[in-house]
Amino acid sequence: MQRQLTEPDRAGQRDETAPAPPLPYVRPNFISQADWKVFVGYGEKYGADPYLLAAISWHETNHGKLGAGRQGYYMGVGVPTHGRKLKAYRGLKNQIAWAAPRLAKYVGPEPTYQKLEWFGVNIWRPDMPEPWSRSVWGCYQKLKPGV
């Protein structure tokens, strides 16, 4: 069957047979609108899922409410188990700027548990990578609509 184009289609408008654009990201309730723009912006810039970035932030510090998160280390980047925190990674943008390109490269825009677990063991390297991966994946499943 041949598709008929209407005049508005030729003018650059969407035709009714084209796929619908993706729904806008739904902001998790624990993240402010301003912070969510940062998650989405870096996620789109690098090709990382902003919900996965948010899941890590929730897992690590309840998005800045626990531990080093209160000092701006929302995702735990630059916070070793022992020793000094790396000040260059302090602040939400610095945390996400480190995490987003790595998540994009190793996990991709469509995360799976297996990719996340590999990422946890080989890139993020928390003290206990398997429980970290399970917890972050559980947070991700609760945050991402339709997962």
Side-chain angles (χ1 to χ4, degrees):
M1 180 168 127
Q2 203 172 31
R3 191 176 88 186
Q4 297 257 336
L5 293 179
T6 63
E7 196 59 35
D9 295 329
R10 291 188 191 110
Q13 295 180 359
R14 295 182 77 85
D15 80 60
E16 54 281 348
T17 61
L23 294 174
Y25 295 106
V26 177
R27 178 181 58 85
N29 62 5
F30 64 89
I31 297 176
S32 71
Q33 188 67 39
D35 285 359
W36 187 235
K37 286 181 181 180
V38 176
F39 280 95
V40 172
Y42 276 90
E44 288 179 347
K45 177 179 180 178
Y46 291 104
D49 188 322
Y51 292 104
L52 187 54
L53 291 163
I56 294 170
S57 180
W58 180 257
H59 165 81
E60 292 289 345
T61 67
N62 282 9
H63 190 61
K65 293 179 179 72
L66 301 174
R70 292 186 296 247
Q71 299 164 7
Y73 298 93
Y74 294 83
M75 302 176 78
V77 175
V79 181
T81 303
H82 304 289
R84 295 183 155 201
K85 298 173 191 75
L86 302 174
K87 291 183 181 181
Y89 296 109
R90 188 175 185 179
L92 182 62
K93 287 183 181 179
N94 293 330
Q95 294 282 293
I96 296 175
W98 185 91
R102 288 160 181 80
L103 280 170
K105 181 176 181 178
Y106 297 106
V107 178
E110 295 183 22
T112 65
Y113 176 75
Q114 290 75 20
K115 291 178 194 176
L116 179 64
E117 185 175 40
W118 185 93
F119 178 80
V121 169
N122 296 287
I123 306 301
W124 201 268
R125 299 191 319 221
D127 288 340
M128 300 174 65
E130 290 82 8
W132 179 90
S133 300
R134 283 192 300 273
S135 176
V136 169
W137 187 253
C139 294
Y140 173 72
Q141 289 180 307
K142 290 175 186 170
L143 292 176
K144 176 97 177 196
V147 172

